Amino acid sequence: MVFALIDGNNFYVSCERVFDPKLEGRPVIVLSNNDGCAVARSNEAKALGIKMGEPVFKLRDLIERERVTVLSSNYTLYGDMARRVVETLERFSPEVEVYSIDESFLSLEPTPGERLVALAEDIRATVRRWTGIPTCVGLGPTKTLAKLGNTVAKKLPELGGVGDLTSPALRSLLLSRLPVSAVWGIGPASTRKLCARGITTVAGLRDLDVSRARSLLSVVGARIVLELRGTPCLPLELLPPPQQALAVTRSFGERVATLDGLKEAIAAFATVAAAKLRRKGLLAGELTVFIHTSAFSPGPRYGASLSAALPGMSADTFFLIHEAHRLLARLWRPGYRYAKAGVIFTDLIPANRAQSSLLPVEGKDALMAAIDRLNSRYGRNTVYLGAIGLGERPWHTRFAYRTRRYTTRPDELLTVS
DNA sequence: TCTGGGGTCCTAGGACCC
DNA sequence: TCTGGGGTCCTAGGACCC
C-alpha cells in the first residue's frame, strides 16, 4: 500500500481562474478575511516576491506597478470546488482522508502491472478535467513522505506534477538536498532547535536517534523520524474525529470603541457560530468570549478573554447570544479602540447524544429550525435577531474584491455571451 | 538520619498545520 | 490608515486520590 497526497496548486487562485480565464498567466493574490493579508498567490505572484501572509498595504506599490490582480476570499466558492475535487478522488480509492480544504490523502493499491506514477498522473488529469483545478501528487510509504513528495513535485516542474518517494534510492538523494524545515510538522521553533545542533537537511533528521528526537521534539518528533525512514506511524483518518471546538472570530472592518458596538459584533458572531453548531448537529457546553485592541497600532492596549460553562448544552441562538453578552459585559473596559473579537464554543457533543433537559423550552428548537430554513432558502441574514443591530455595522469584515459565488447561487451564475 | 508509589484530571502555554 | 481565521496535539505542573 502506498500513500498519495493530492494538493490543489495555489488552490484559491486556481478556483478563481476556473471562472475567469483572463487570470491565467498573470500575478493574482487572494486576501485573508477583512482583506488583510495575501493568503494565496499564483506562481507569477510568488515570482514577484510576494510572501505568504504578507499584509496587503505593504504591497500597494508592487500591486500597482506589476498590475497584480487582488481578490477577496470567496469561501463559498472554494468550499464547493473542494467538494468536487474530493468527489473525483473518491473514484480512485475507497480510502480518502480529507486533510484540509485543498489536500487529501489516498491509499493506493496499483493493480499488478500498473505503474504507480501513471496512476498518479491519471488522478491529476482527471481532477483537472472534471473540476478545472490543477494539482500535484506526492507518493510515499508514509504520510510524511507522501507530503514531502508533494513538496518536491511543486518545487521541480520537470517532474510533471508527481513526486514519487516510494523508491529508497531516489528518496535518499532528495532527502539530503531538502532543508529540514520542509518536513510536515517541523515549524520554525523545531527548525531552530535542529539547526543549532547541526541538523539542517531532511536526511539529517531521518538519521537522528529516535530517543534523541523524542527528547528534543517530543513524541511528535520521534514519529516524524520513523515516518521519514518509511515506518508508518500516522494512519489514514477515514472518518473525521469528533470536533472539539468551533470558533467565529473576526477583525473589525473599523475599530469599535463602544460596548453597544461590541455587543452587536459578538451577537453576530454567536449567531453564525450557533448556526454552524446546528448544521453539524452539535451542542456546546462551554463558551469563551474575547476582545482585544490591535497588536500593531499605537495607543493603549487591552485584551482579555473569559470562559464559562453554559448552564446546559445548547445550540440556541437566543440563549448563546445572552450568555456571550454576559461574558462581554465583564470583559469590556472603556477607553479602548477594539480591533478584534470572537466567540469560541468547546465541550461539544452530538445533539442526539445529549441528555434532555428537565425543563424543556417549548418551541425553541422549532423556531431555530424555521430560522435556518428561511436563511438557507432566501440567503443568509434573511432572518436574524435584533441584537445584531439594524444600522451601521462598522465592525463588518471587509470583502471589497469578492468574486461571484458561481457554483452555489443561481443569481450569481456566470453569464456567457 | 530516615519521609512511598502510582495514578487521574485539569489548565495554560507552546507549536504546528492549512 | 491598512497586518486572517480555524483548528489540533503535546507537555509541564498543580491538585487531588488511594
Side-chain angles (χ1 to χ4, degrees):
Chain A
M1 199 269 277
V2 169
F3 289 97
L5 177 71
I6 291 91
D7 177 319
N9 300 347
N10 316 328
F11 184 65
Y12 294 176
V13 170
S14 294
C15 290
E16 300 287 353
R17 280 178 168 170
V18 170
F19 296 92
D20 188 357
K22 284 202 296 289
L23 300 176
E24 292 290 346
R26 301 181 32 79
V28 180
I29 60 175
V30 175
L31 304 183
S32 61
N33 266 342
N34 221 26
D35 294 340
C37 304
V39 293
R41 303 153 294 149
S42 70
N43 289 344
E44 298 79 5
K46 289 176 186 172
L48 291 175
I50 298 176
K51 299 274 175 285
M52 175 69 181
E54 202 164 4
V56 71
F57 74 89
K58 291 187 179 173
L59 297 169
R60 283 290 169 220
D61 289 346
L62 183 68
I63 288 167
E64 182 89 10
R65 190 170 66 244
E66 303 289 345
R67 306 174 60 80
V68 178
T69 301
V70 177
L71 300 171
S72 302
S73 288
N74 186 343
Y75 296 113
T76 312
L77 177 65
Y78 311 151
D80 189 58
M81 295 300 284
R83 182 188 57 74
R84 297 171 184 215
V85 171
V86 171
E87 277 181 15
T88 309
L89 295 178
E90 283 166 347
R91 301 268 298 222
F92 290 91
S93 172
E95 298 188 320
V96 177
E97 173 188 339
V98 178
Y99 173 68
S100 75
I101 188 163
D102 69 332
E103 283 174 78
S104 293
F105 286 101
L106 269 62
S107 70
L108 292 185
E109 303 262 13
T111 51
E114 190 177 22
R115 277 181 56 244
L116 194 59
V117 172
L119 178 57
E121 284 165 350
D122 188 20
I123 294 175
R124 288 190 73 223
T126 308
V127 171
R128 182 71 197 248
R129 195 160 58 242
W130 290 5
T131 69
I133 300 293
T135 57
C136 282
V137 181
L139 300 168
T142 64
K143 286 169 109 177
T144 303
L145 285 169
K147 194 94 166 75
L148 206 55
N150 190 283
T151 306
V152 172
K154 289 225 161 83
K155 228 176 230 179
L156 306 173
E158 60 269 29
L159 293 178
V162 179
D164 180 9
L165 292 189
T166 54
S167 115
L170 178 60
R171 194 156 80 215
S172 269
L173 183 72
L174 285 167
L175 262 52
S176 59
R177 298 184 184 186
L178 289 169
V180 72
S181 58
V183 177
W184 187 36
I186 301 297
S190 303
T191 301
R192 273 194 302 277
K193 273 189 196 171
L194 291 167
C195 287
R197 288 159 180 81
I199 299 159
T200 56
T201 65
V202 182
L205 179 58
R206 175 200 61 198
D207 298 335
L208 183 64
D209 184 65
V210 175
S211 59
R212 185 138 162 72
R214 153 93 227 215
S215 68
L216 212 54
L217 306 174
S218 86
V219 294
V220 178
R223 272 202 295 259
I224 289 173
V225 169
L226 288 170
E227 286 247 322
L228 287 175
R229 293 178 189 172
T231 308
C233 302
L234 305 169
L236 276 187
E237 311 264 1
L238 297 180
L239 35 152
Q243 189 168 359
Q244 299 177 31
L246 191 156
V248 173
T249 72
R250 294 283 182 276
S251 296
F252 301 140
E254 289 171 32
R255 304 280 191 262
V256 175
T258 64
L259 178 57
D260 279 348
L262 283 178
K263 284 178 74 173
E264 288 184 9
I266 288 292
F269 302 162
T271 297
V272 174
K276 282 189 186 179
L277 285 173
R278 294 194 295 272
R279 181 153 43 82
K280 297 177 178 212
L282 296 170
L283 300 177
E286 190 187 46
L287 167 64
T288 300
V289 174
F290 73 83
I291 54 175
H292 61 75
T293 55
S294 168
F296 302 98
S297 310
R301 286 191 193 172
Y302 170 70
S305 78
L306 267 179
S307 304
L310 294 166
M313 309 296 296
S314 176
D316 176 306
T317 302
F318 292 87
F319 175 70
L320 294 173
I321 288 178
H322 181 252
E323 294 297 317
H325 277 174
R326 284 170 28 133
L327 292 178
L328 174 63
R330 291 164 58 194
L331 286 172
W332 186 73
R333 301 284 180 278
Y336 297 98
R337 298 172 67 241
Y338 294 93
K340 183 172 174 176
V343 301
I344 304 163
F345 292 123
T346 44
D347 188 13
L348 308 181
I349 59 160
N352 57 21
R353 260 196 40 222
Q355 293 185 27
S356 51
S357 167
L358 291 174
L359 301 167
V361 188
E362 273 310 310
K364 262 305 179 50
D365 287 354
L367 176 56
M368 285 299 121
I371 291 176
D372 289 340
R373 272 200 306 277
L374 285 168
N375 286 336
S376 141
R377 180 160 178 186
Y378 298 105
R380 193 191 266 193
N381 292 338
T382 302
V383 181
Y384 58 88
L385 273 64
I388 298 177
L390 301 167
E392 295 279 300
R393 292 175 185 163
W395 42 269
H396 237 248
T397 312
R398 279 190 296 259
F399 290 98
Y401 319 103
R402 182 151 64 187
T403 51
R404 288 191 261 172
R405 288 160 287 193
Y406 303 103
T407 64
T408 51
R409 295 290 191 104
D411 52 332
E412 298 185 26
L413 277 173
L414 193 63
T415 42
V416 180
S417 47

